Amino acid sequence: MKNTITIGIQWGDEGKGKIVDLLAPEADVVARFQGGPNAGHTLIIGNQKTVLHHIPSGILHHNTLCLIGNGTVLDAVELRDEIRLLEDSGVPVAERLRVSDRCQLILPYHRALDAAREVARGAGRIGTTGRGIGPCYEDKACRRGIRLCDLNSRNLDERLERNLKLVNFMLSEYLNAEPVSRDTVEEALALARQHVLPLAADVPMLLHQQRRAGASILYEGAQGTMLDIDHGTYPFVTSSNTVAGAALAGLGVGPNAVEEVIGVAKAYMTRVGAGPFPTELYNAEGMNHAAGKHLAEAGHEFGSTTGRPRRTGWFDAIVTRHAVRINGITSLAITKLDVLDGLEEVKLCTGYILNGRMLEYIPADAAAFAACEPVYETMPGWQQSTYGVTNADQLPQAARHFVQRIAELCEAPVSMISTGPDREHICHL
Ligand code: GDP
Ligand code: IMO
Ligand code: MG
């Protein structure tokens, strides 16, 4: 396999986990480069379901080294729980997983701040996953973060004391929330020492050695391009760069370490949390278009991390083409095609109307993007089931046309079509 980045090119939950798991047997290394336990990547193998938050989606395969890079933020409690679940089902995680010693640690005060800030934002809340992601990246940028390697540092006590003073001032004086105790933080640090520190490694060095030995590397993105802190629907985004370019800085490799970039996209759109979504049809707040309801129900659209219902809508080719361009996508993996089965007609958004003008790009301002009215191309749907189809020639003609039109509008070829949640439900093109 060529060295490949696999990333989401919508608002997350595109089915990245499934695609990475099915490509992993051809890779020697699978590496995560950004995000943290805000991610929820689902793998379905027969009747066994695994949901991964921190651990790369190659973990179920023998002979696959899994790496968590410096660009990620790490919650030791979450990681410990995830390791336990996998080990209980017989996966030797400790043998297969290494974590960068430069990872930033998510500590209890990050979660407390995340929650309190969301409450304070009121109607303007972002709808974060509540995992402390934003405050942890904030500390990193502010140079007061605690990294895995800092657990052995002599001035750790002093730094923690300073951080707690600041955080507790913000919590109690400004956000009207409970302060965090030093004991709670110490417990989290003790867990990190016990369960994560033994897995710590110099990840760029490991990657360098692997690459010299001719290994192929699969880089696994979390979230999606429209949640990228620079290129997404700011401020309704996550706190990291989720684009392909982040794989390099988030692991410590150069641009020549990558040959392919696979963009994973659902055959429709979903979003969890707040923020603009021009093709939205259905949400828990009362938008209730029949096709959107179909997508939510047939697609079981509930968040893998928080269980929140996902908002659903038609495929937006302006969003995905934007993502194709800024990520250098070399091919698309279109997932959940089966979810469209049975719809009389299917739609693709090919532009927006804003203030009476036609747009074929995404306005930078979130309010302007939210005000965009989608312009659709309507195509006939199909009544046959595509569930589990593994040969694209056996897909109904209307489904093949739909996928072909996505490729044309997004200016990228389709290399995979996913027709069900299982590892086996895939057509390679
Ligand atoms: P990720 O965050 O991108 O890895 O995606 P999630 O795991 O959060 O959400 C994708 C959901 O869709 C999971 O429940 C998958 O099991 C499921 N899924 C993935 N591909 C397909 C598909 O082609 N068809 C159907 N019906 N479900 C799929
Ligand atoms: P995977 O990897 C979908 C969304 C949250 C919220 C915004 C900010 O499974 O695709 P955060 O907790 O990151 O500060 O929340 O980003 N979000 C995701 N949505 N899939 C994800 O990950 C997400 N990770 C964060 O819902 O809108
Ligand atoms: Mg997910």
Side-chain angles (χ1 to χ4, degrees):
M1 195 190 77
K2 288 187 174 161
N3 296 298
T4 304
I5 300 176
T6 301
I7 47 161
I9 57 171
Q10 296 164 325
W11 278 287
D13 302 327
E14 297 89 347
K16 299 173 291 294
K18 167 182 168 159
I19 300 296
V20 169
D21 166 69
L22 79 87
L23 293 175
E26 295 172 44
D28 301 291
V29 180
V30 180
R32 276 275 307 268
F33 52 88
Q34 47 67 234
N38 46 351
H41 297 172
T42 314
L43 321 182
I44 310 262
I45 293 103
N47 53 17
Q48 189 161 354
K49 176 175 173 174
T50 308
V51 183
L52 300 168
H53 302 285
H54 268 311
I55 298 179
S57 299
I59 196 71
L60 301 184
H61 298 276
H62 306 279
N63 305 325
T64 304
L65 174 64
C66 286
L67 300 176
I68 298 180
N70 55 276
T72 65
V73 286
L74 200 98
D75 186 319
V77 185
E78 293 266 355
L79 182 59
R80 190 259 331 247
D81 292 348
E82 211 171 314
I83 293 173
R84 273 196 185 153
L85 265 177
L86 284 165
E87 288 191 339
D88 287 349
S89 56
V91 182
V93 179
E95 280 171 28
R96 298 180 187 171
L97 178 70
R98 291 295 171 268
V99 180
S100 168
D101 52 6
R102 287 163 172 83
C103 278
Q104 297 281 331
L105 294 178
I106 300 177
L107 294 172
Y109 52 78
H110 294 126
R111 277 179 177 252
L113 271 177
D114 194 0
R117 287 216 185 113
E118 282 287 90
V119 172
R121 281 187 191 109
R125 70 186 175 281
I126 290 162
T128 72
T129 59
R131 300 296 192 267
I133 307 295
C136 186
Y137 275 116
E138 217 174 298
D139 276 4
K140 173 181 181 176
C142 237
R143 291 154 291 181
R144 57 170 176 255
I146 311 289
R147 299 172 303 167
L148 193 53
C149 57
D150 297 332
L151 290 176
N152 294 325
S153 144
R154 267 201 234 137
N155 65 359
L156 178 63
D157 261 7
E158 201 182 302
R159 289 168 56 194
L160 271 178
E161 206 50 51
R162 234 182 299 146
N163 286 0
L164 265 176
K165 214 168 159 185
L166 179 68
V167 164
N168 283 335
F169 173 77
M170 286 196 276
L171 285 170
S172 48
E173 300 296 317
Y174 179 61
L175 292 164
N176 206 14
E178 287 295 310
V180 173
S181 73
R182 176 78 193 232
D183 285 352
T184 317
V185 177
E186 289 298 344
E187 272 170 43
L189 293 174
L191 276 175
R193 283 198 184 89
Q194 190 184 345
H195 298 280
V196 189
L197 209 48
L199 302 174
D202 181 340
V203 164
M205 181 57 82
L206 280 180
L207 278 170
H208 172 72
Q209 288 162 350
Q210 288 281 337
R211 282 173 29 76
R212 276 185 95 162
S216 54
I217 322 281
L218 182 56
Y219 304 90
E220 177 181 11
Q223 289 79 55
T225 297
M226 295 309 285
L227 291 169
D228 182 278
I229 191 158
D230 289 297
H231 299 283
T233 48
Y234 191 90
F236 301 99
V237 291
T238 190
S239 298
S240 64
N241 281 116
T242 61
V243 290
L248 312 180
L251 281 158
V253 294
N256 59 348
V258 180
E259 291 144 306
E260 300 219 335
V261 187
I262 298 175
V264 186
K266 281 179 188 166
Y268 51 98
M269 311 296 276
T270 63
R271 176 163 203 168
V272 252
F277 180 2
T279 65
E280 184 170 17
L281 298 170
Y282 179 83
N283 61 41
E285 272 78 57
M287 193 185 252
N288 197 9
H289 187 286
K293 190 161 187 258
H294 171 103
L295 299 174
E297 288 175 359
H300 304 290
E301 294 298 352
F302 292 92
S304 319
T305 295
T306 57
R308 292 178 292 175
R310 295 178 183 143
R311 303 154 67 191
T312 63
W314 292 121
F315 188 91
D316 188 331
I318 302 299
V319 160
T320 37
R321 187 169 63 212
H322 163 76
V324 163
R325 290 173 180 168
I326 63 174
N327 289 300
I329 298 293
T330 54
S331 77
L332 297 166
I334 301 298
T335 62
K336 304 190 93 161
L337 184 70
D338 54 296
V339 173
L340 300 180
D341 294 354
L343 287 170
E344 216 160 279
E345 51 186 30
V346 286
K347 296 190 184 193
L348 295 167
C349 170
T350 55
Y352 310 119
I353 303 279
L354 180 66
N355 300 327
R357 279 185 46 227
M358 178 79 172
L359 298 188
E360 286 191 0
Y361 61 88
I362 300 170
D365 176 51
F369 191 34
C372 282
E373 283 295 326
V375 175
Y376 288 117
E377 203 171 287
T378 302
M379 301 176 74
W382 53 92
Q383 303 313 311
Q384 306 94 310
S385 168
T386 64
Y387 188 82
V389 169
T390 53
N391 178 348
D393 293 338
Q394 283 164 10
L395 291 171
Q397 199 184 38
R400 275 187 280 134
H401 280 162
F402 182 71
V403 174
Q404 197 182 339
R405 191 67 188 128
I406 287 180
E408 283 165 10
L409 290 168
C410 298
E411 301 171 351
V414 174
S415 57
M416 280 176 270
I417 303 173
S418 174
T419 55
D422 196 277
R423 190 191 268 170
E424 306 291 327
H425 299 155
I426 193 82
C427 304
H428 291 279
L429 275 78

